[in-house]
Amino acid sequence: MLEIKNLHVTVGGKEILKGLNLSIAAGQVHAIMGPNGSGKSTLSYILAGRAGYEITEGSITYNGEDLGAMPPEQRAAKGVFLAMQYPVEIPGVTTMMFLKSALNAQRRGRGEKELDAIGVLKTVRAKAATLNVSEDMLKRALNVGFSGGEKKRLEILQMSLFEPKLAILDETDSGLDIDALRLVAEGVNALRDPSRAMLVITHYQRLLDYIVPDRIHVLAKGRIVAEGGKELALELEAKGYDQIVKDAA
Amino acid sequence: MSSAAADTKNTVAAIGEKYKYGFVTDIEMEKAPKGLSEDTVRFVSAKKGEPQWMLDWRLGAFRRWGEMKEPNWARVHYPKIDYQNAYYYAAPKNTPLKQSLDEVDPKLLETYKKLGIPLNEQMALAGVAVDAVFDSVSVATTFKDKLNEVGVIFCPISEAIRDYPDLVKQYLGTVVPVTDNFFATLNAAVFTDGTFVYVPKGVRCPMELSTYFRINASETGQFERTLIIADEGSYVSYLEGCTAPKRDENQLHAAVVELVALEGAEIKYSTVQNWYPGDENGLGGIYNFVTKRGDCRGDRSKISWTQVETGSAITWKYPSCILRGDGSVGEFYSIAIANHYQQADTGTKMIHLGKNTRSRIISKGISAGKAQNTYRGQVSVYGKAEDARNFTQCDSLLIGGDCGAHTVPYIESRNPTARIEHEATTSKIADDQLFYCLQRGLGQEEAVALIVNGFCKEVLQQLPMEFAVEAQKLVGISLEGSVG
C-alpha cells in the first residue's frame, strides 16, 4: 500500500530525512521508533503533505500513485489520515460542525454524495460513545479547552469516522495517563482491518504494549537504522537508542 | 491547480461566483440633469411630490453643505470626488408616486428575484416584509397592508413625507442633525428614497422588516434616508441588504439612518452590506459613506446594531447609540471584511448620557490581500451618567502579510462611577490551523471560510435566522483568493 524509496526531505533548507526506505502492506501495523530529532514528525508531515516540507529526492507511492504530488486535502480524500501530536484549536467552530464539514469534504473529493446533518450526527454519536467522547465535547469549539486526553480521543474518533486506508499516529501516547492511553489504544485496535495499514510513531515502548505492531523500524538521523518484530521494542527499552544506533552503524 | 483544490474552488464558487450581483438591469431610466445645484434639489423634491416644508429643509441643507469640508480623518485614501460629475436622481421611467405590487414593471420584479428577494408576497420569505429601493426610488413594498392591521407603518420615506407629515416633521433630523457632517448634510439635501417605519405603543412588530437597496444606473449616487421610530414599549427588527453592478467607476452611496427608541422600546437593526467591492486590482467599487445613529430617547430603551460589511471599495461608517434614557442599552456587533484593495474604517460611538446606561461593542475585523481595515470607536460617559458600563471587544484577523489592521479607540469618562472595559486582539490564521483542516479533507478556501466563520461567530449569532446562513456564505465568498 505504501512504498517509500530513498526519501530525502528538507525543511527550511535543512535536510531531515536522508534516504528513508519503508514499505507497508494493507492489514499491517508498523511502528516507527526513534530518539528526539530523528525525523519522526517530519515523516508524518511529509506523508500528510504539510506546506514547507520538500521532497528533494526519492519517492512516496501510495496505492500505485505518487503521493508527493497530491495536495493534502486530496490525500485525505484518498484515505490518508494523520492523528496529530498537537491537535489544533479552532475557536468558534463546534467539533460537530468541523466533523461534518471534513467528512463531507472527503466524500466530495471522492465523488460521493454528501451526508445530511442528521446522518452525520447519528454516525458520530455512535462512534463517540465507544471512545468516551461526550455530547458536550461535540458541542464545544474544536479542541478549545480540551484536556490532552480529550484531544487525543477526538483524533481517534475522527480516524474512526473517516475510515482511512492509511492511518498515521504521531506520538499519540504523548501527554496521556495510563487510563487514557488504554482507551486510545483500544480505539486504534478496533480499527485494525485487513484493508487498512497503520503507522504508529512513538518515542516510548509503552504504547506498543497496547498496540502490538507487526513490524518495528528504528529511525535515527533521517534513516531507518534497524528493523525487527515486536521484540525489538523490548530490546530498545533495555539498551536505549544510543546502543541500537551504534550497533547498526 | 490539483483536481482536489479545483473541486473545492468549484464548490465555493457554486455557492456564489466571486460577485454574483454584478449584473445590470436594462430598463429605461429617467435622470436628473448631471451635477449638483439648487435646481437638482428642487428637481428631486418635485419628483417626489413633496410639500414646501420639505423642500425648504433640503434647500437649507444644501446651502450649509456648500460651506462644509469633506472629512479627512479616516484611514482611507481615494481621489477627490467630483460632485458635479454624477447624477443625483435616477428612477425607472413612469414610476408613479404610489403603485401596488401588481403594477410593478416585471423587469424590476425579475431583478429582485435574481437577487434572491422575491417581491411576490406568496413567494416571499415567510415573515419578512420588504421595501425594494432601486437607485433613487422605492419600487415596491410588500406586506404593507398586513402590517397596517396592527398599526405598523412600513413605507418608502417619500410616501411618509406625503402621508404622515406630522410624524416625519417630529423626528426627521432629530438624531442626525442636518449639519452633522459633510456626507449627512449632502444626504439631507438630495436624499431620494429609503424606508420609514413607525411601530405604535406596545406593539411587537409581527414580521421582520427589511429594505433591499440596489444601485443599477451608472454614474449615479444613491442617497438613502431611513427613519425608524419605535414608540413606547414596542419592538421591531429591521434588516437591510445592498448590492450594485460591477463597474470600473466608483459610485457614491451616502446614506443617513436615524433610529428613535422611546421608553421601553427596542430596535434591532441589521445590515448585510455587499456593495460591489471593486475588482482584485482595486478598480471600481462603491464608496460607502454612511451616517447611522440611534437615539435611546426613553428610559430602558434598547438599540442594537449588527453589521456584516463585506462589500464596497471604501467603507466609512459608525453606527452609534445615544444612551439618553436612564437604564438604556446600546449594542454594536460588527464583522468587517476587507480583501484585495478594499478599505474599511468602521466602528461605533456609544454616548452615555443617562444613569445606569450600558453598552456592548463586539467588533471582528478581517483583512486579506492588500486591504486596510480600521476599527474606530468612541465611548463617552457624561457627568450625569451614574454607573454607566461599557464592554468593548475588538478582534482582528489577518490573512497574508500585505494587509493591515488598525484599532483606534477613543474613551472619555466624566463620571468616576463609570466602568469601561476594552479588550483587543490581533491574530493570524495559523499555518497549523490551516494544515489541520487540509489534512482532514477541507480545501484551502473552505478551510479559511470555516476558520473565519468561527472567528465571527459571536456576531453572526446576532443576525435574524433567515439571514444568518446567507451571511455565513458571504463571509466565505468575500475571502476567495485570499490564500495560496
Side-chain angles (χ1 to χ4, degrees):
Chain A
M1 174 175 290
L2 182 70
E3 191 76 46
I4 303 176
K5 279 190 185 147
N6 187 31
L7 186 66
H8 292 253
V9 173
T10 60
V11 185
K14 191 171 176 240
E15 188 169 69
I16 305 292
L17 296 185
K18 303 166 182 172
L20 183 140
N21 293 292
L22 182 68
S23 113
I24 308 176
Q28 289 197 330
V29 175
H30 287 214
I32 299 269
M33 298 185 72
N36 290 327
S38 58
K40 299 195 298 293
S41 283
T42 299
L43 176 61
S44 70
Y45 287 148
I46 199 72
L47 288 173
R50 183 164 192 163
Y53 292 74
E54 202 190 336
I55 300 176
T56 50
E57 208 186 323
S59 65
I60 308 171
T61 312
Y62 169 69
N63 284 334
E65 289 186 277
D66 179 7
L67 192 69
M70 291 180 206
E73 66 272 24
Q74 192 182 358
R75 300 182 198 200
K78 284 182 184 279
V80 176
F81 179 86
L82 168 62
M84 302 210 193
Q85 185 177 3
Y86 305 109
V88 303
E89 301 181 356
I90 305 185
V93 177
T94 64
T95 302
M96 195 62 211
M97 171 74 191
F98 181 81
L99 295 180
K100 177 173 172 257
S101 305
L103 182 63
N104 277 331
Q106 292 187 22
R107 294 180 68 93
R108 272 201 308 279
R110 291 192 290 266
E112 295 167 11
K113 206 168 159 278
E114 292 187 32
L115 295 179
D116 62 13
I118 297 166
V120 177
L121 190 69
K122 275 190 182 156
T123 317
V124 170
R125 276 196 182 140
K127 300 201 184 263
T130 61
L131 281 161
N132 198 15
V133 170
S134 66
E135 191 73 11
D136 178 55
M137 273 171 72
L138 297 174
K139 284 182 190 153
R140 274 150 62 192
L142 185 76
N143 287 322
V144 176
F146 285 24
S147 71
E150 285 175 328
K151 285 182 183 174
K152 294 295 167 75
R153 292 210 301 273
L154 186 62
E155 291 294 284
I156 304 304
L157 172 64
Q158 292 183 58
M159 182 164 116
S160 152
L161 182 65
F162 302 148
E163 299 179 329
K165 295 273 165 277
L166 171 66
I168 305 146
L169 294 103
D170 188 6
E171 309 245 357
T172 296
D173 49 337
S174 69
L176 292 186
D177 62 34
I178 204 77
D179 290 335
L181 183 68
R182 197 172 289 151
L183 193 70
V184 164
E186 277 168 15
V188 172
N189 285 330
L191 290 168
R192 290 182 99 145
D193 186 280
S195 68
R196 181 172 293 139
M198 291 193 190
L199 186 60
V200 179
I201 296 173
T202 184
H203 187 78
Y204 299 106
Q205 181 265 341
R206 189 177 71 157
L207 179 67
L208 304 182
D209 289 342
Y210 299 95
I211 304 171
V212 180
D214 298 302
R215 193 124 187 98
I216 293 176
H217 313 263
V218 178
L219 182 62
K221 294 178 186 155
R223 275 196 204 103
I224 303 292
V225 294
E227 288 179 290
K230 58 183 182 237
E231 63 289 344
L232 182 58
L234 299 170
E235 196 186 329
L236 267 172
E237 191 80 351
K239 288 190 181 170
Y241 284 115
D242 282 354
Q243 193 58 46
I244 297 276
V245 172
K246 219 177 274 170
D247 289 353
Chain B
M1 188 188 304
S2 71
S3 67
D7 284 354
T8 313
K9 209 166 160 97
N10 290 339
T11 313
V12 178
I15 298 168
E17 295 110 51
K18 275 221 160 79
Y19 187 77
K20 69 172 175 180
Y21 309 105
F23 64 90
V24 179
T25 305
D26 182 18
I27 191 164
E28 212 182 336
M29 299 293 282
E30 180 182 19
K31 290 183 172 180
K34 209 172 199 178
L36 181 55
S37 65
E38 270 199 23
D39 288 343
T40 320
V41 177
R42 287 176 197 281
F43 180 97
V44 170
S45 184
K47 274 287 156 198
K48 302 283 175 190
E50 284 176 354
Q52 185 65 36
W53 64 268
M54 194 67 239
L55 174 62
D56 293 342
W57 197 79
R58 288 175 179 275
L59 288 171
F62 181 70
R63 282 175 207 129
R64 294 296 294 270
W65 182 72
E67 300 157 10
M68 295 170 85
K69 280 209 159 54
E70 206 168 317
N72 60 5
W73 43 262
R75 198 184 182 100
V76 294
H77 303 281
Y78 55 93
K80 206 167 165 40
I81 298 172
D82 180 358
Y83 291 92
Q84 297 305 331
N85 189 29
Y87 295 100
Y88 287 80
Y89 180 89
K93 229 172 190 167
N94 304 321
T95 311
L97 283 178
K98 217 173 205 177
Q99 62 184 352
S100 69
L101 272 177
D102 40 334
E103 293 166 323
V104 178
D105 188 323
K107 268 189 184 167
L108 291 169
L109 293 179
E110 188 52 39
T111 299
Y112 282 91
K113 203 172 147 194
K114 217 166 146 182
L115 295 168
I117 316 289
L119 296 174
N120 178 327
E121 289 187 2
Q122 279 75 44
M123 287 163 59
L125 270 174
V128 183
V130 182
D131 183 20
V133 176
F134 189 83
D135 289 323
S136 308
V137 63
S138 166
V139 293
T141 311
T142 64
F143 297 110
K144 249 159 95 174
D145 298 340
K146 197 178 161 193
L147 289 163
N148 245 319
E149 286 170 20
V150 290
V152 173
I153 303 171
F154 174 59
C155 68
I157 197 157
S158 41
E159 197 177 310
I161 291 165
R162 294 189 301 268
D163 295 354
Y164 310 100
D166 294 342
L167 273 175
V168 175
K169 267 190 208 168
Q170 191 183 343
Y171 291 103
L172 187 74
T174 64
V175 186
V176 178
V178 172
T179 53
D180 188 79
N181 69 72
F182 183 84
F183 297 113
T185 307
L186 174 62
N187 175 288
V190 297
F191 78 87
T192 43
D193 230 328
T195 304
F196 176 81
V197 177
Y198 172 77
V199 188
K201 264 184 202 175
V203 171
R204 192 179 168 87
C205 186
M207 307 179 89
E208 293 279 341
L209 305 184
S210 70
T211 307
Y212 196 93
F213 293 97
R214 175 72 177 168
I215 293 178
N216 187 64
S218 63
E219 298 178 87
T220 302
Q222 191 179 58
F223 303 90
E224 67 172 270
R225 182 126 198 153
T226 290
L227 175 59
I228 299 177
I229 302 141
D231 213 326
E232 292 171 18
S234 67
Y235 169 84
V236 61
S237 168
Y238 172 93
L239 182 128
E240 59 171 354
C242 356
T243 59
K246 280 186 186 180
R247 289 212 174 88
D248 290 350
E249 53 173 322
N250 294 109
Q251 285 178 277
L252 179 61
H253 172 87
V256 171
V257 174
E258 297 180 277
L259 311 182
V260 180
L262 300 180
E263 190 179 327
E266 178 177 350
I267 301 173
K268 188 174 163 61
Y269 191 107
S270 313
T271 303
V272 177
Q273 187 265 103
N274 190 19
W275 294 119
Y276 178 54
D279 69 8
E280 60 271 27
N281 300 310
L283 188 63
I286 302 291
Y287 291 166
N288 192 34
F289 298 152
V290 170
T291 305
K292 290 184 171 176
R293 196 171 302 153
D295 189 353
C296 286
R297 208 162 278 183
D299 292 348
R300 295 176 310 284
S301 56
K302 178 176 176 183
I303 289 177
S304 179
W305 298 98
T306 303
Q307 60 172 23
V308 178
E309 302 282 320
T310 60
S312 297
I314 300 177
T315 298
W316 178 98
K317 181 184 168 192
Y318 315 89
S320 305
C321 296
I322 300 166
L323 302 169
R324 199 183 301 277
D326 290 346
S328 59
V329 177
E331 292 177 335
F332 175 74
Y333 297 96
S334 170
I335 297 168
I337 298 181
N339 193 4
H340 303 307
Y341 283 87
Q342 282 177 279
Q343 306 172 62
D345 192 304
T346 183
T348 183
K349 287 191 234 177
M350 293 290 173
I351 312 295
H352 292 255
L353 301 176
K355 295 185 187 73
N356 293 309
T357 45
R358 281 181 288 141
S359 63
R360 181 179 171 82
I361 299 170
I362 307 284
S363 163
K364 306 276 180 177
I366 298 122
S367 319
K370 295 193 167 8
Q372 295 295 328
N373 203 334
T374 303
Y375 167 81
R376 189 182 300 278
Q378 180 182 342
V379 176
S380 298
V381 177
Y382 281 72
K384 289 182 179 156
E386 289 292 315
D387 294 317
R389 274 189 286 158
N390 162 264
F391 174 76
T392 300
Q393 186 185 325
C394 193
D395 299 324
S396 304
L397 186 68
L398 299 168
I399 302 173
D402 297 329
C403 54
H406 317 276
T407 303
V408 190
Y410 305 86
I411 297 169
E412 46 184 27
S413 174
R414 293 181 210 152
N415 188 311
T417 62
R419 270 188 290 162
I420 300 172
E421 288 174 71
H422 183 98
E423 290 177 10
T425 65
T426 300
S427 52
K428 280 191 131 182
I429 289 190
D431 286 349
D432 58 354
Q433 277 181 328
L434 209 51
F435 172 60
Y436 190 86
C437 292
L438 298 178
Q439 204 299 303
R440 300 301 144 95
L442 296 164
Q444 288 267 15
E445 285 176 344
E446 206 182 348
V448 170
L450 187 82
I451 295 168
V452 171
N453 267 306
F455 174 76
C456 298
K457 192 179 182 189
E458 279 168 281
V459 175
L460 287 170
Q461 278 172 339
Q462 299 295 327
L463 286 174
M465 208 171 56
E466 291 90 336
F467 303 98
V469 176
E470 274 309 304
Q472 268 181 34
K473 288 179 189 166
L474 192 57
V475 166
I477 294 161
S478 308
L479 289 167
E480 263 185 37
S482 62
V483 181

